[in-house]
Structure formats: structure tokens, C-alpha cells
Amino acid sequence: MANSVLVRHYMTRPMTVNQNVSVAEASQVILQNKLSGIVVVNDAGELVGMLSELDCLDSIVDAAYNGGVPGAAKVSDVMTKDVETNHPDEDILNVAKSRLQKSLTSPALLNRNRYKLFTFFLQPGPMRAKKQRRIL
């Protein structure tokens, strides 16, 4: 495409949490930073999943209902492990169309390498990039 905009033009470093932290800790990071979800990494900083607000709420309500400790579950036990990724050189409109057809409004993750983990967000309404900080 002659006038295409590439995914790389909207890539930012994502905010992350380690898979071994509690849902309560990850929820705090999500809430404090006004995110809808967060990238989950292992001890080596490699992408292992995504944790959404809904994942956190489901876990907390389930624990409360079943007599557990709300928020005590590990992120690795409740996160989405099968994360769809995209390449930086893909056309952003094609990626957006594909993700919206699949009802995927979560981050499109790119490059599972620790030093090249970037993301961009697709949201209902006008598409905009959200900048995020990296934390471990």
C-alpha cells in the first residue's frame, strides 16, 4: 500500500507485571495507571500473557464467593496465555480490521523478545495510541 501506516508508527513500550505477583498487586497497577489490562512477563522479561481488568474481577469475585482470599491468586493462574501478536511492518488498518472483526480490543503485542516488547491499543471510537511505561 502506497499510503499505508505501519504498526511501528504506533508502538510504545508496554507496562508490565511479573507472572508471580498476586492479582491484588497487578490490580493496583492497572487501577493506578488507568489501564484496561497489562502485559505479563516471566522473570526473564519475556511475554507470557495478558491480564485484563475482567480477569482480575473474575478472580476476586470467585475467591470471595468460594471462601478464598480475594486477590491472593497469582497472575499466572488467571491471565490469558494465548496472546495474539502482530509484526511492526504490518499495515495498521489491516491489523485493526482483523482485530475488531475478532472483537479483540486488547493490545496487539509485537516481538516477544524482552528488548523489543512493544504494544499499541485499539479502542472503540477513534483509534489512538496509549503510551505506557515499563515496570518489572
Side-chain angles (χ1 to χ4, degrees), residues 12-13 41 56 71 76 83 94 118 124 126:
T12 60
R13 287 220 179 262
V41 296
C56 295
S76 60
V83 179
N94 291 336
F118 292 91

Side-chain angles (χ1 to χ4, degrees), residues 3-14 87-93 95-96 107-110 117-123 126-132:
N3 295 326
S4 66
V5 177
L6 302 179
V7 168
R8 75 173 59 255
H9 298 126
Y10 287 89
M11 291 170 29
T12 60
R13 287 220 179 262
H87 191 275
D89 291 325
E90 288 183 70
D91 180 271
I92 198 166
L93 296 178
V95 171
L109 297 163
L110 310 142
L117 183 61
F118 292 91
T119 187
F120 71 94
F121 283 77
L122 300 177
Q123 298 183 354
M127 187 167 46
R128 65 177 190 242
K130 275 192 171 180
K131 292 185 179 180
Q132 295 187 337

Side-chain angles (χ1 to χ4, degrees), residues 31-74:
L31 291 171
Q32 288 171 349
N33 293 282
K34 298 179 179 144
L35 302 171
S36 59
I38 197 160
V39 175
V40 181
V41 296
N42 61 20
D43 291 334
E46 300 165 326
L47 169 69
V48 293
M50 286 291 304
L51 183 71
S52 70
E53 290 172 300
L54 186 57
D55 294 332
C56 295
L57 287 171
D58 281 346
S59 173
I60 291 167
V61 169
D62 185 59
Y65 183 79
N66 291 304
V69 178
K74 284 176 127 183

